[in-house]
Each structure stands twice: as C-alpha cells, then as structure tokens.
Amino acid sequence: MWELFPEAASTLAGKVDRLFFFSVGVTVFFSGLIAGLILYLGVRYRRRSVDQIGEPERAATALEIVWCVVPLAISLFLFAWGAQLFFEQSRPPAGATTIYVTGRRWMWQVQHGSGRREINELHVPRDRPVRLLMTSEDVIHSFFVPAFRIKQDVLPDRFSVLWFQATGSGSWHLFCAEYCGAEHSRMTGRVVVLEPQEYERWLEAGDRAALPAGASGEHLFEALGCAGCHRGDTLAKAPILAGLFGSTVKLADGGEVVADEGYLRESILFPSAKVVAGYQPLMPGFRGRITEEQLLELVRHLKTAKNP
Ligand code: CUA
C-alpha cells in the first residue's frame, strides 16, 4: 500500500497525511454505514405480499437533528484542521533562507542567495526552513514536490511564495503541476536535500562566474541607470535604497507600505504605483524592458546591498 503513496520528507508532510487519512477514513466510514443501512433496511422492510401498501412515516425530529448536527460538526472540525494547516503552510517562519525560482517554458531556474544558480535542480539544506520566492517568465506553472506535500502556482507578473523544511536527505521529484504547453510533462527536476554543512560547501563550490557577463544585480543597477538617481549624496532625486528592504515606507498618498519583495518588484516595474512621500514620480517603469531573471537579480541586490 505504501508504494502508492509518496514518501514523507518534510515537516509538513506528516501533518498533511494525517488530515488526508482522517478525511478518507470519515468518508469510508460513512459510505460503508450508508450502503450497509440501505441494504439492511431494503431487506428488513421489503414488500412481503403483492397487495401490501406503504405507510408514510411521520417526521422524526430527533433523528433529523442528529443527521444535521453530526455532519456539520465533522465538516467544521475538518475545516478548522485544514485552515490551521493552510496557515502554517502559507507562513514561512522568520529566518527562513530565501531561494529564487523562475519558471519558464519548460524549465525551472533556481538562484541561491549566494548567487549560485542551477536548472531543474534545487539544492537545499536539511532541517532548515527554506522559502521559495517564485515567478514565471511566461505562463502559469506550478511548483510541486510530492514528498514535501507542497504545491504552489507560479504566476507571471507577481511573486508567489512557498516554504518547506526538509527532513529527509536525498533526492526528491519536482514537477510542474500546471499544464503549460507541449513540453509540460518534461518540466521536471529534483530537489536534493543536503546536510547543512554540505549545503554550505555546495554553495561555495559554485561561483558567480556562472552568470553571463553583466547579468548580476550590481551590474544591472549601474547599467540600467538606477544609480544615477538612487544615490547617497545631495544630488539624489530618488529615495536611498540602502537598508530599504524590510522597512516601512511612507507614501505620497499618506499610506504606508512594508518594503518586501513584492513592493520592490512593483516599484521597479510600475514606479508610479506607490510613490514615496517627498519625491516626484520621475522614474521610468521597467515593465517589458527587463526579464524576470534580471528583475530577480535586482531585487536580490537591493535586499543584500549595504549601499546600492
Ligand atoms: Cu510548466 Cu507545466
């Protein structure tokens, strides 16, 4: 029986399985109970002679209350359990390592915080929370790792987030779970779970030389002219970006926004969407002018740079 089921290799997997088996158990129990009752009552109250006529039953209030309240209680219990698990699954713990994932027809591109890149493979440390910041270059894909019991749509023009904490070392299947065209079924890969020290060594083994020349966030920041306005001296026409990430930004319309990855992304693509208080909306939008990969590089640069 267990071959039918993927192995459980994340902290979430056991919890998802318990909920799944519980709901299957409830379903099987009531299906059996109802089918059994139908058979039993069909035989017990069968017509015994040709001229026998049925008598309508008076309403049985107590019975009706029971068959309303019991399923309602079970449904609410399942809802509460599922919702609790959903929240846990949707909220990466603080301190999770962020790894960037770009889906495109038909491959997964991965970039680690150190800059090391890989394609159709994702190396992660065991027993550490990992947060995936994902986007798509083209159509909707879906990042699916059965052994971790996680699946999340990857959408163009926005970031979606997924997190997990792997518990089993080894290699696990990665699939695209959203039909995305001719080669969809081959948009697969593997997640390799390493011991934490091994992962550190693995990160260092790769270097940024793997990046095409001029593709790093630092380089793009200069090449796209960002540095001309976002500068630290008195000629600055735009907000200083050092230390921006994670801070609360006051906006020209009086609102506030926390500078997370989604805000950085939006401000690069559509700068006038949220203008910082005290500045003019002078910045050109970069929608269509840079690729998702370049955008990720810029966001990564802005998050880490002390002085972009
Ligand atoms: Cu990408 Cu299916």
Side-chain angles (χ1 to χ4, degrees), residues 44-252:
R44 173 82 174 71
Y45 295 105
R46 68 188 182 278
R47 190 154 79 156
R48 285 160 206 268
S49 63
V50 198
D51 55 354
Q52 207 175 7
I53 294 168
E55 256 179 68
E57 196 60 57
R58 293 246 166 251
T61 313
L63 189 61
E64 287 188 13
I65 289 175
V66 167
W67 79 46
C68 290
V69 170
V70 170
L72 178 69
I74 294 172
S75 309
L76 286 179
F77 177 70
L78 275 172
F79 167 73
W81 187 352
Q84 181 263 326
L85 201 54
F86 175 78
F87 286 134
E88 181 176 340
Q89 186 209 92
S90 325
R91 291 181 182 152
T97 309
T98 296
I99 299 176
Y100 305 90
V101 174
T102 308
R104 78 148 60 122
R105 287 179 290 179
W106 286 276
M107 61 169 85
W108 296 105
Q109 293 176 317
V110 174
Q111 179 161 359
H112 296 259
S114 71
R116 177 146 191 194
R117 304 168 148 227
E118 46 188 340
I119 285 179
N120 291 342
E121 286 201 348
L122 170 62
H123 285 73
V124 295
R126 191 169 64 90
D127 294 331
R128 300 270 189 279
V130 170
R131 170 176 176 265
L132 301 179
L133 192 65
M134 307 187 294
T135 189
S136 164
E137 285 265 0
D138 36 49
V139 298
I140 301 177
H141 304 277
S142 183
F143 192 93
F144 179 34
V145 184
F148 295 172
R149 310 290 190 275
I150 52 168
K151 187 197 290 184
Q152 171 63 50
D153 275 11
V154 177
L155 305 155
D157 285 331
R158 79 181 77 166
F159 286 133
S160 44
V161 171
L162 189 60
W163 84 273
F164 60 85
Q165 182 166 329
T167 52
S169 294
S171 164
W172 310 102
H173 285 296
L174 157 67
F175 296 108
C176 176
E178 183 75 54
Y179 181 65
C180 54
E183 304 274 310
H184 155 73
S185 64
R186 294 172 66 182
M187 192 170 164
T188 60
R190 57 188 194 129
V191 179
V192 181
V193 179
L194 302 170
E195 296 298 318
Q197 314 89 301
E198 267 184 277
Y199 175 70
E200 293 304 325
R201 275 200 295 279
W202 179 88
L203 274 185
E204 275 156 31
D207 52 35
R208 299 186 62 80
L211 266 181
S216 75
E218 293 83 340
H219 183 96
L220 286 169
F221 194 77
E222 294 292 331
L224 295 169
C226 316
C229 295
H230 293 282
R231 46 199 281 177
D233 58 30
T234 48
L235 293 173
K237 290 193 283 275
I240 295 173
L241 301 180
L244 168 69
F245 183 71
S247 67
T248 302
V249 178
K250 291 215 181 333
L251 300 177

